[in-house]
Structure formats: structure tokens, C-alpha cells
Amino acid sequence: MKPLHIEHIGIAVSNLTEAIGYYENILGLKCYKIEEVPDQKVRTAFLKVGQTKIELLESTDPEGPVGKFLEKKGEGVHHIAFAVENIEEHLKEAESKGVKLIDTVPRKGAEGLSIAFLHPKSTFGVLTELCEEKSCK
Ligand code: CMX
């Protein structure tokens, strides 16, 4: 497995507007997109720093992954996403090396990326996302 770069860092927040205010007014970044991902039960906001994005995640459903995370752990870093080429191959390789996959097949994520998650219980506590710039089959 050879990730190309960190594509984004996902940060769970209670209030998207307030969090955007911090990143724009204190860190001087610019929010360039707000997108709802119904499948993931989140509303996301994207800011860019260098080639890495910050993805702010506000839950739209307390039973969704970010809703449950906020309830259990509170606001904070939710996941790290690595850009890869040939995501299917990377998933197969990770699984063959004993990593528990959340997604065995890539699905469509925010920004039209193909995404798949590795379970935090087999990645030393960090929910890990692989993503590739291509649409899912
Ligand atoms: N980072 C690290 N650990 C996490 C975690 C996270 N983001 N989310 C949950 N966990 C931990 C829990 O604390 C729990 O640990 P303990 O057993 O020690 O208490 C363990 O993982 C299992 O958690 P759970 O509550 O039993 O399981 P959940 O139903 O909350 O599911 C997970 C956890 C990771 C499988 C689920 O959140 C998931 O499928 N995530 C992938 C999809 C996702 O996160 N989508 C949102 C972002 C979408 C986007 O970027 O667009």
C-alpha cells in the first residue's frame, strides 16, 4: 500500500457554521463547499490547506456514524483519509494482512470520490479512509 498524500482530515463538530467561523476567521482558511451526504448522515464543509482538505462533519442523524461519535467522544478528529490509486487493490491487500474492513467495496463519498473505510479497531484507534478520484462502478 502506498498512499499518495493525506487527502483530508475529517473533524466531527456539533455546529457546522460555528466551526467554519473558527477555521475562516482564526486560521484564515476558506470554506469552498458545503455538501450534504445523506448516505453518511452528515453535512460536510470543505476547506483547503496546501493539497490537504479539512472536512468538517456535522451529523444530520443522531444514529449516524458522526452522531454516535459526537455522543460518545464529543467533537474532535473523526478520521484521516489517504488518497490512493486503485482503491480496490488496496482494500484487498489490507484485508489479506488482517485489517478489518468497514467497506469491502468502495462507495461514493463527498466530492464525488470513491471511498472505503478501515475499522478503527484494527488501525490503532484511527478511523482510516481510503479514497480515489474516480466514480464508483
Ligand atoms: N474513530 C475512532 N474510534 C471510533 C470512531 C472513530 N471515528 N468511531 C467509533 N469508534 C470506536 C468506538 O468508540 C468503539 O470503541 P469501544 O468499543 O472501545 O467503545 C468502537 O469504535 C466501535 O464503535 P461502536 O459504537 O460500537 O460502533 P459504531 O456503530 O459507532 O461504528 C464505525 C463505528 C467506525 C464502524 C462507524 O462509525 C463507521 O462505519 N464509520 C465509517 C463511515 C463514517 O464514519 N462516515 C462518516 C464520514 C463520512 C464522510 O467523510 O463523508
Side-chain angles (χ1 to χ4, degrees):
M1 172 136 20
K2 198 156 191 279
L4 304 170
H5 58 91
I6 293 182
E7 212 282 333
H8 66 265
I9 298 174
I11 299 174
V13 301
S14 302
N15 184 301
L16 205 59
T17 309
E18 285 176 14
I20 291 169
Y22 163 72
Y23 282 92
E24 290 197 330
N25 300 326
I26 308 296
L27 287 181
L29 305 180
K30 180 92 189 93
C31 173
Y32 64 89
K33 180 153 74 169
I34 293 182
E35 179 182 353
E36 183 154 345
V37 187
D39 178 43
Q40 297 292 308
K41 301 183 169 63
V42 288
R43 216 158 63 91
T44 64
F46 286 93
L47 308 98
K48 208 163 188 180
V49 50
Q51 68 174 343
T52 303
K53 298 167 195 160
I54 302 286
E55 179 188 31
L56 302 176
L57 298 155
E58 179 188 75
S59 172
T60 56
D61 180 341
E63 291 306 314
V66 174
K68 284 166 85 174
F69 179 90
L70 285 167
E71 174 67 24
K72 201 164 182 181
K73 296 183 190 269
E75 294 178 301
V77 174
H78 179 262
H79 65 268
I80 296 183
F82 294 92
V84 297
E85 274 170 358
N86 203 339
I87 189 167
E88 289 90 353
E89 282 302 313
H90 283 75
L91 287 173
K92 272 189 214 144
E93 184 188 336
E95 191 171 35
S96 74
K97 291 180 175 171
V99 174
K100 182 175 172 194
L101 307 183
I102 293 173
D103 302 293
T104 50
V105 176
R107 54 188 154 124
K108 188 168 180 281
E111 301 229 287
L113 297 173
S114 288
I115 66 166
F117 285 91
L118 312 182
H119 201 284
K121 287 292 170 195
S122 51
T123 58
F124 297 86
V126 178
L127 176 60
T128 301
E129 178 180 344
L130 303 180
C131 50
E132 183 171 17
E133 281 188 30
K134 65 167 186 180
S135 50
C136 296
K137 285 170 200 155

